[in-house]
Amino acid sequence: IVRDILRMKLEGTSAVRIADTLNALGVQSPYMYKKTHGLPHPRNGFADKPDAKWSATTILRILGDETYTGTLIQGRQGTLNYKIKDLIDKPVSEWKRTENAHEAIIRKRDFDLAQRIMRLDTRTAPNSDKVYMFSGVLICGCCGERMTRKSVPGRDGKKYHYYYCPTTKKRGCLNAPSIKEDELAECVLESVKSHIANIASLETILQSSDGQRVTNALVKQYTEQIAENERQLMQVAGFKTPLYENLINGVIEKEDYKLLKAKYAADEERLRGAIETLKAQLDDVMSGKSERLKWADTFKRFEGLTELDRRIVANLIQSVRIFSKTKLEITFNYQSEYETARALAGNEGVA
């Protein structure tokens, strides 16, 4: 069931529609399955609704559970100290994660993609609960705002779909672009096909190059990224240290103090998470677990594609910046890895 839920989400189906589909098929919800099989089940609070049906909340909870990738997560909650017994939710940076602790049900890359899709999925097609193909991906090249989809009836009775920047001239966007959806899809499709071909050529070149050279370059890249994040972390700590003293001395107001404190805490959590991820990747490279072009598989499995859909866009594209009807800039997923690999190949035979 978890694999089916993930597949539907990757295909662009909303959580509400997934829940309705499972209910229509008579699939038992987690709550009902546990209850009918005599297993421990929640009785209040976090439990499913009394009708024991699938709900969007249950679908989103499953899609966000990293346990299905084989990762054991501990320490989500704890106490402030030994005197206070009330449990509190701990920040993600303090969780203890053990990868490959048990057999995985879904692939880690598919789980990560689902998280990205859920962050991007902001608009769905009317009466279908299908997410628009470019939802959350298009960015106005003038002001940097997300672009919006609209439908316009034509004289021939057909509907034509456009993406436009909702920011007006009065709000600072002087050259707000607009582009037809079918023209955009055609252009993006050709760019994706070209990028996949480049990656295939790149892989051929690197497979014949010195593997140790690739490893050394990756070690250098990850080490520099870790050092930069640690530098930023120290900088945030430097900003955070005098914050309370500035409040007491009247340098800043109480409201500013709260805002800055929350911002610095969020920055620290983000940087610590990035450092932890980079160190894990560095360890993999050092121990020989990392495949030099493992990321390329994400693109290669779409070789020979003839049309775009939501799954392909979410898998391969990070953003599309629209400057005009004839000028756009695509940032693909794994862009930094691609650029690193190109540098290693000396740009020989790669466009």
Side-chain angles (χ1 to χ4, degrees):
I1 296 300
V2 174
R3 293 192 186 98
D4 290 336
I5 291 173
L6 180 64
R7 174 184 54 77
M8 285 189 280
K9 188 60 190 173
L10 295 183
E11 291 173 351
T13 309
S14 71
V16 172
R17 178 56 62 90
I18 293 174
D20 290 343
T21 300
L22 294 177
N23 286 327
L25 293 174
V27 178
Q28 288 186 324
S29 68
Y31 171 81
M32 196 62 187
Y33 179 87
K34 292 175 182 177
K35 185 176 180 180
T36 56
H37 287 75
L39 300 173
H41 57 276
R43 300 180 183 278
N44 50 45
F46 200 57
D48 286 355
K49 296 179 180 180
D51 58 9
K53 291 184 178 180
W54 286 93
S55 66
T57 301
T58 306
I59 298 298
L60 293 174
R61 190 162 71 235
I62 289 174
L63 288 171
D65 191 346
E66 197 176 357
T67 304
Y68 296 117
T69 67
T71 299
L72 175 65
I73 301 178
Q74 298 172 299
R76 295 175 188 261
Q77 293 183 318
T79 58
L80 288 174
N81 54 58
Y82 70 94
K83 293 182 179 179
I84 301 177
K85 303 301 181 183
D86 293 336
L87 292 175
I88 60 170
D89 292 330
K90 289 186 176 182
V92 177
S93 60
E94 295 183 14
W95 292 358
K96 295 180 179 179
R97 302 172 68 259
T98 305
E99 296 185 358
N100 302 316
H102 53 83
E103 185 178 355
I105 296 177
I106 58 177
R107 294 180 298 184
K108 181 67 165 59
R109 72 179 184 187
D110 289 337
F111 173 82
D112 292 339
L113 177 59
Q115 309 316 299
R116 180 172 182 271
I117 288 176
M118 288 191 286
R119 290 194 295 269
L120 290 176
D121 287 352
T122 55
R123 295 296 302 276
T124 57
N127 304 319
S128 73
D129 283 327
K130 280 282 186 179
V131 177
Y132 293 131
M133 182 162 57
F134 293 108
S135 180
V137 174
L138 300 187
I139 300 174
C140 173
C142 172
C143 66
E145 288 294 320
R146 299 286 180 182
M147 297 183 71
T148 302
R149 186 182 189 268
K150 67 176 179 180
S151 298
V152 178
R155 293 180 180 179
D156 55 2
K158 296 180 180 180
K159 278 192 175 182
Y160 294 88
H161 309 296
Y162 293 81
Y163 282 95
Y164 72 100
C165 176
T167 306
T168 62
K169 291 183 179 180
K170 292 181 179 179
R171 294 172 58 191
C173 191
L174 302 179
N175 299 294
S178 175
I179 188 169
K180 286 184 179 180
E181 186 177 52
D182 56 352
E183 293 177 356
L184 173 64
E186 183 179 349
C187 182
V188 172
L189 174 61
E190 291 306 312
S191 296
V192 168
K193 289 164 65 176
S194 176
H195 192 66
I196 292 174
N198 289 343
I199 289 174
S201 298
L202 182 64
E203 186 176 40
T204 301
I205 294 171
L206 288 183
Q207 282 177 343
S208 61
S209 68
D210 181 15
Q212 187 58 46
R213 178 167 162 254
V214 176
T215 299
N216 292 340
L218 288 173
V219 169
K220 182 176 182 294
Q221 176 188 340
Y222 289 137
T223 301
E224 289 176 350
Q225 290 176 335
I226 291 170
E228 173 59 22
N229 283 334
E230 289 178 337
R231 184 193 67 78
Q232 292 183 35
L233 190 61
M234 290 181 63
Q235 187 179 50
V236 171
F239 293 148
K240 186 178 177 182
T241 300
L243 201 56
Y244 183 72
E245 184 178 344
N246 289 340
L247 173 65
I248 297 300
N249 293 334
V251 178
I252 58 176
E253 300 292 333
K254 187 174 182 179
E255 203 60 38
D256 292 332
Y257 168 78
K258 290 181 178 179
L259 290 173
L260 289 171
K261 183 179 180 181
K263 177 185 180 303
Y264 294 150
D267 287 344
E268 285 182 328
E269 183 173 335
R270 172 180 58 81
L271 289 167
R272 287 196 181 102
I275 291 171
E276 183 180 343
T277 299
L278 287 167
K279 284 184 176 179
Q281 292 173 338
L282 178 60
D283 287 343
D284 284 348
V285 172
M286 296 288 285
S287 62
K289 295 178 183 178
S290 176
E291 299 175 23
R292 70 179 80 168
L293 285 177
K294 188 176 181 180
W295 58 270
D297 292 340
T298 300
F299 292 87
K300 287 174 58 185
R301 61 194 176 106
F302 292 107
E303 284 182 307
L305 81 162
T306 57
E307 62 179 348
L308 289 180
D309 58 29
R310 177 61 179 176
R311 183 174 64 100
I312 294 172
V313 170
N315 262 278
L316 307 185
I317 298 174
Q318 182 177 341
S319 66
V320 180
R321 191 173 292 271
I322 308 294
F323 296 93
S324 68
K325 293 180 180 180
T326 57
K327 182 182 179 182
L328 56 86
E329 180 182 283
I330 301 177
T331 300
F332 290 98
N333 290 334
Y334 302 103
Q335 191 73 34
S336 62
E337 287 86 347
Y338 173 72
E339 296 299 337
T340 298
R342 284 189 62 187
L344 291 172
N347 295 329
E348 297 179 12
V350 183

